[in-house]
């Protein structure tokens, strides 16, 4: 198993707001293996979302480097990043972030718009992704016609539609009740174990963290705990 | 990269009420724009078609004061004057007041010679058509004092349908007859205007008939000429002729004001100041306010769509895709509105031409005008979409994602 699929090397990141500079990450080192399922925990404001944004190429670090697969994400320009994201990462958000004007199927088809697939192929692939999350029968529903758990499953289908190697999930069960959360976690586990997706998931939920193979604990931008778990 | 057109369509459909109102506002504005431009162009066309060798001599006091008939002989003697005719407003109507059309009393021996380039006689009583029609009408106009020449619009218009040989009763509103009856005129010729300035619904009657009727007490009114139309010789500067005419009557009994036909035509056009400018200003103001309401609507859409921009960016779309979406939506809304506005202008063109027949000969929703309206609509949509969508280009994906939708 190639040990370093995702690496953060000496990464520092600070935000300036109203003249005050807040150092969020200070020379952070982190590496994640291909096919791993990592839960990232820690108190609010400890920099978890910041790490996800750096790995997903939504934000850039002040110093250090971020590698994902063979790409140095931190060296890419703002104009290169969108295409890279489209091919390599899928995002799952706490608040689902589906587009309310589109149906479930159309939401899942959206990222496929950026691929060279034909309309028919896109539809087929989106339907396949919906099938993986068990929502084939909800394809033509709008987000407001779905339960929170269903919405999040559609969002997961959208994240995997282009078949990216990495899935980044920021508190994916944060807005869900226990049983919906368990369904979502079940799907993420399957994506990891059956499809080999590398998953980096932020969570405050100990039950959720239990599903991961590795749990990282962050505090004030520093890794304070790193433990492997048996499934 | 393919553009998510469907997303744009879904957004448009998701806000049917708001977008429908915007389409409505734009269609009204574009209709108004077409209308005003067509009115202004029609008026200007009329002025442009005025003869450059024709003067109109009117009373210096007011257009509505008749000049004496005795002036004609004196004007005729002035150097550079080629031909004159009286031109007097008769102001009667057919059956009902709303069936109003213009009638002018003219010198029957001179009128057709003066208007050779202005009107074409298409048919004379007895059925003569073609080049011989003019001479036939000239003859018929002289043979009956009640003779009248009408525009083709009075023959073809639904409300009139006057035919050659018809005796047409006209109810007076200025010059009542002593017997209380209507005036009667016999149609001897039909003309078609050759100049934009001339309506096709005018009736020309004989000035001598009126004046004799006033003299004899057959009708109530006083002998007069109205204004004089004066054709000038090309060899003499037209301004000089105008000055000479006014100088002749400088000491009364009535002072005159002689102006070119173009100035005379534009006097009607600018009866309330500079009408084209006035209409243009109104049109501009309306367009401007509609424009801002559309931009404002689009900007509200834009603010609500910042989060969507963040989501799209996370999925791998570039920021300008969100901007393009708004431009595309703006374009669809504005072209739809513009299209409806233009259709509205086309649909009302016929009735407005009828309504304006007296005053604006060339009211026309032309192809260039439609293209202009469509172009302005498109521009409106693009600018509105751009104004709403530009902020997306500046915001980072994380900022956009954090904004609440
Ligand atoms: N764009 C920004 N501008 C300024 N400060 C920011 C920005 N993004 C994050 N921060 C700050 O950086 C710190 C770390 O933020 P981050 O979102 O990574 O925390 P987190 O661990 O995800 O917290 P939570 O569990 O509440 O989501 C916080 O104090 C936050 O206020
Ligand atoms: Mg967070």
């Amino acid at each position: 198993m190639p040990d370093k699929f995702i690496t953060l090397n000496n990464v520092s990141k600070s935000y300036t707001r109203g003249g005050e500079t807040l150092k969020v990450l200070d020379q952070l080192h982190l590496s994640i293996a291909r096919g791993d399922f990592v839960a990232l925990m820690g108190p609010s404001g400890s920099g978890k979302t910041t790490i996800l944004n750096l790995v997903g190429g939504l934000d850039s670090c002040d110093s250090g480097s971020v590698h994902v697969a063979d790409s140095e994400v931190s060296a890419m320009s703002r104009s290169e990043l969108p295409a890279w994201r489209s091919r390599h990462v899928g995002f799952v958000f706490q608040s689902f972030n589906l587009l309310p004007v589109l149906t479930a199927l159309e939401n899942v088809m959206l990222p496929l718009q950026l691929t060279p697939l034909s309309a028919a192929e896109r539809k087929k692939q989106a339907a396949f992704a919906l099938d993986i999350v068990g929502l084939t029968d909800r394809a033509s529903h709008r987000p407001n016609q779905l339960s929170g758990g269903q919405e999040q499953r559609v969002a997961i289908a959208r994240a995997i539609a282009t078949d990216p190697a990495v899935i980044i999930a920021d508190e994916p069960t944060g807005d869900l009740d226990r049983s919906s959360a368990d369904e979502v976690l079940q799907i993420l586990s399957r994506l990891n174990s059956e499809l080999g997706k590398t998953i980096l998931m932020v969570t405050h939920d100990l039950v959720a963290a239990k599903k991961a193979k590795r749990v990282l604990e962050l505090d004030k931008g520093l890794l304070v705990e790193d433990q492997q778990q048996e499934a | 990269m393919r553009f998510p057109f469907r997303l744009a369509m879904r957004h448009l459909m998701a806000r049917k009420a708001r977008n429908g109102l915007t389409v409505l506002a734009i269609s009204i504005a574009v209709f108004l724009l077409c209308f005003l431009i067509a009115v202004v162009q029609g008026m200007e066309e009329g002025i442009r078609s005025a003869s450059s060798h024709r003067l109109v001599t009117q009373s210096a006091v007011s257009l509505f004061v008749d000049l004496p008939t005795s002036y004609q002989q004196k004007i005729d003697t002035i150097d550079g004057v080629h031909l004159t005719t009286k031109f007097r407003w008769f102001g009667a109507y057919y059956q009902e007041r709303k069936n109003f059309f213009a009638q002018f009393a003219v010198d029957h021996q001179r009128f057709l010679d003066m208007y050779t380039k202005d009107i074409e006689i298409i048919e004379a009583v007895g059925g003569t058509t073609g080049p011989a029609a003019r001479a036939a009408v000239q003859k018929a106009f002289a043979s009956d004092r009640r003779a009248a020449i009408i525009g083709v619009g009075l023959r073809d218009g639904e409300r009139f349908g006057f035919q050659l040989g018809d005796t047409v009763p006209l109810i007076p509103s200025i010059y009542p007859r002593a017997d209380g009856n209507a005036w009667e005129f016999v149609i001897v010729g039909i003309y078609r205007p050759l100049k934009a300035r001339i309506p096709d619904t005018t009736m020309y009657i004989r000035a001598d008939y009126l004046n004799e009727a006033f003299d004899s007490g057959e009708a109530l009114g006083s002998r007069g000429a109205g204004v004089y139309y004066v054709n000038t010789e090309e060899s003499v500067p037209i301004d000089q002729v105008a000055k000479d005419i006014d100088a002749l009557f400088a000491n009364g009994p009535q002072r005159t004001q002689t102006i070119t036909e173009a100035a005379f035509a534009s006097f009607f056009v600018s009866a309330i100041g500079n009408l084209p400018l006035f209409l243009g200003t109104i049109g501009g103001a309306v367009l401007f306010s509609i424009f801002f309401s559309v931009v404002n609507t689009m900007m509200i859409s834009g603010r609500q769509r910042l989060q969507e921009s963040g989501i799209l960016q996370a999925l791998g779309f570039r920021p300008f895709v969100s901007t393009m979406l708004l431009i595309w939506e703006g374009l669809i809304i504005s072209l739809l509105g513009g299209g409806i506005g233009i259709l509205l202008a086309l649909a009302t063109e016929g009735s407005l031409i009828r309504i304006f027949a007296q005053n604006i000969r060339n009211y026309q929703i032309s192809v260039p005008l439609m293209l202009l309206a469509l172009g302005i609509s498109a521009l409106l949509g693009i600018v509105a979409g751009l104004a709403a969508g530009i902020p997306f280009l500046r915001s980072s994906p994380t900022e956009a994602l954090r904004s609440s939708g």
Side-chain angles (χ1 to χ4, degrees):
Chain A
M1 185 161 71
D3 201 23
K4 292 180 174 175
F5 187 58
I6 299 173
T7 45
L8 281 75
N9 211 344
N10 226 8
V11 167
S12 297
K13 173 78 183 171
S14 48
Y15 291 108
T16 314
R17 192 161 39 187
E20 268 182 69
T21 301
L22 176 72
K23 202 148 189 102
V24 182
L25 300 178
D26 191 6
Q27 304 193 337
L28 181 81
H29 284 275
L30 172 63
S31 56
I32 295 169
R34 183 189 285 273
D36 208 349
F37 184 174
V38 178
L40 189 56
M41 302 191 73
S44 184
S46 55
K48 305 183 295 295
T49 298
T50 305
I51 290 175
L52 296 194
N53 287 343
L54 293 177
V55 172
L58 287 175
D59 208 348
S60 54
C61 52
D62 303 337
S63 63
S65 67
V66 178
H67 286 80
V68 175
D70 299 326
S71 316
E72 186 176 354
V73 182
S74 49
M76 287 186 204
S77 69
R78 250 186 106 164
S79 61
E80 293 170 304
L81 282 169
W84 177 82
R85 276 198 296 275
S86 156
R87 280 194 297 275
H88 296 97
V89 272
F91 289 89
V92 179
F93 304 95
Q94 177 173 359
S95 52
F96 324 136
N97 280 350
L98 297 178
L99 301 191
V101 294
L102 298 181
T103 65
L105 185 70
E106 287 164 352
N107 265 287
V108 179
M109 285 173 72
L110 199 55
L112 293 168
Q113 194 104 46
L114 297 164
T115 66
L117 297 179
S118 71
E121 290 168 326
R122 278 181 275 152
K123 199 161 185 172
K124 208 171 127 196
Q125 191 153 332
F128 180 60
L130 269 184
D131 188 47
I132 291 178
V133 300
L135 285 175
T136 302
D137 56 337
R138 299 299 162 113
S140 59
H141 286 55
R142 293 280 171 85
N144 63 7
Q145 298 168 316
L146 299 171
S147 72
Q150 289 168 335
E151 279 196 75
Q152 193 60 300
R153 281 149 68 194
V154 173
I156 292 171
R158 182 178 65 183
I160 60 172
T162 55
D163 197 24
V166 182
I167 290 174
I168 287 173
D170 198 348
E171 299 184 44
T173 59
D175 283 1
L176 301 178
D177 60 58
R178 188 71 262 159
S179 73
S180 299
D182 288 344
E183 273 178 352
V184 162
L185 290 167
Q186 186 96 42
I187 289 168
L188 289 174
S189 291
R190 267 178 45 220
L191 294 178
N192 174 248
S193 61
E194 293 171 20
L195 300 177
K197 304 289 179 201
T198 305
I199 300 179
L200 181 53
M201 173 181 74
V202 165
T203 187
H204 287 291
D205 179 5
L206 286 171
V207 182
K210 280 250 159 49
K211 295 276 184 184
K213 293 177 180 166
R214 181 181 172 196
V215 179
L216 299 176
E217 179 99 26
L218 201 67
D219 196 8
K220 299 196 182 71
L222 296 172
L223 278 179
V224 293
E225 176 99 46
D226 183 349
Q227 74 184 78
Q228 301 287 332
Q229 311 189 116
E230 289 309 308
Chain B
M1 185 188 68
R2 293 196 206 84
F3 180 75
F5 289 107
R6 183 187 297 231
L7 183 53
M9 293 315 291
R10 285 295 160 88
H11 273 299
L12 290 174
M13 296 311 285
R15 300 194 183 283
K16 283 197 202 73
R18 187 167 80 188
N19 292 331
L21 281 174
T22 309
V23 167
L24 191 72
I26 294 172
S27 60
I28 291 169
V30 168
F31 165 73
L32 212 63
L33 182 79
C34 290
F35 170 78
L36 291 175
I37 290 178
V39 165
V40 170
Q41 281 180 344
M43 289 173 165
E44 286 173 351
E45 182 95 11
I47 295 171
R48 264 201 305 281
S49 75
S51 165
S52 53
H53 294 291
R54 185 171 300 143
L55 293 167
V56 178
T57 299
Q58 54 183 347
S59 162
V61 179
S62 155
L63 179 61
F64 307 104
V65 172
D66 281 327
L67 290 175
T69 50
S70 60
Y71 277 24
Q72 190 161 18
Q73 258 187 326
K74 294 176 185 160
I75 296 172
D76 282 342
T77 62
I78 287 173
D79 191 31
V81 169
H82 174 67
L83 188 66
T84 61
T85 175
K86 303 183 189 76
F87 224 91
R88 189 180 197 184
W89 181 255
F90 184 57
Y93 56 91
Y94 177 64
Q95 292 177 339
E96 290 177 73
R97 272 190 190 275
K98 71 176 168 82
N99 293 341
F100 166 85
F101 59 92
Q103 309 98 30
F104 290 103
V106 297
D107 292 323
H108 60 275
Q109 325 89 322
R110 299 171 174 223
F111 169 69
L112 284 175
D113 289 338
M114 171 164 288
Y115 261 27
T116 42
K117 287 183 189 148
D118 302 77
I119 61 174
E120 174 194 9
I121 297 296
I122 57 172
E123 200 177 353
V125 67
T128 316
T129 56
R134 199 170 196 99
V137 167
Q138 180 75 70
K139 206 170 150 218
F141 208 17
S143 64
D144 182 345
R145 61 179 200 147
R146 298 175 308 153
I149 300 170
I150 60 168
V152 68
L154 291 177
R155 180 188 68 185
D156 300 339
E158 285 163 32
R159 288 194 232 148
F160 307 107
F162 303 158
Q163 299 299 326
L164 282 170
D166 281 1
T167 300
V168 175
L170 293 185
I171 301 166
S173 61
I174 304 174
Y175 307 114
R177 293 177 59 84
D179 58 12
N181 291 341
W183 290 82
E184 285 186 348
F185 298 97
V186 179
I187 312 296
V188 299
I190 294 172
Y191 76 86
R192 173 179 296 134
L194 297 173
K195 294 286 164 64
R197 161 183 54 82
I198 299 174
D200 67 356
T201 54
T202 299
M203 177 187 266
Y204 297 100
I205 57 176
R206 286 174 50 161
D208 61 344
Y209 176 30
L210 299 194
N211 285 329
E212 283 165 22
F214 296 148
D215 289 348
S216 68
E218 182 186 339
L220 304 180
S222 53
R223 167 171 282 276
V227 301
Y228 288 102
Y229 272 40
V230 180
N231 274 8
T232 62
E233 308 275 6
E234 294 200 14
S235 53
V236 183
I238 190 164
D239 296 350
Q240 189 56 51
V241 179
K243 267 195 207 124
D244 290 350
I245 294 173
D246 290 344
L248 192 59
F249 305 110
N251 299 316
Q254 258 199 61
R255 297 205 305 117
T256 60
Q257 186 189 11
T258 302
I259 55 180
T260 62
E261 186 181 33
F264 189 68
S266 65
F267 169 81
F268 284 104
V269 166
S270 46
I272 46 168
N274 191 336
L275 196 55
L277 183 70
F278 176 70
L279 293 178
T281 311
I282 293 180
V286 168
L287 213 67
F288 207 62
S289 63
I290 299 261
F291 176 81
F292 273 105
S293 82
V294 171
V295 170
N296 187 47
T297 308
M298 290 301 293
M299 283 179 80
I300 292 171
S301 296
R303 272 196 292 279
Q304 291 168 343
R305 297 269 288 274
L306 187 57
Q307 195 189 25
E308 175 185 289
S309 166
I311 297 167
L312 288 176
Q313 289 185 58
L315 296 180
F317 289 92
R318 292 171 185 283
F320 78 78
V321 169
S322 290
T323 310
M324 288 298 294
L325 275 172
L326 279 172
I327 291 175
W328 182 246
E329 289 166 37
L331 208 54
I332 289 178
I333 289 177
S334 62
L335 285 180
L336 208 62
I340 293 173
I342 290 169
L343 286 180
L344 220 59
L346 280 175
T348 54
E349 187 185 20
S351 15
L352 286 173
I353 286 175
R354 272 196 294 285
I355 291 169
F356 287 145
Q358 308 296 332
N359 310 303
I360 306 163
R361 268 290 292 149
N362 271 41
Y363 181 84
Q364 192 199 359
I365 307 298
S366 61
V367 173
L369 176 54
M370 286 190 271
L371 290 179
L372 176 75
L374 216 57
I376 289 176
S377 305
L379 199 69
L380 170 66
I382 290 172
V383 170
L386 208 60
I390 281 283
F392 296 152
L393 298 178
R394 280 196 300 263
S395 67
S396 75
T398 50
E399 250 176 86
L401 273 170
R402 262 203 314 275
S403 75
S404 51

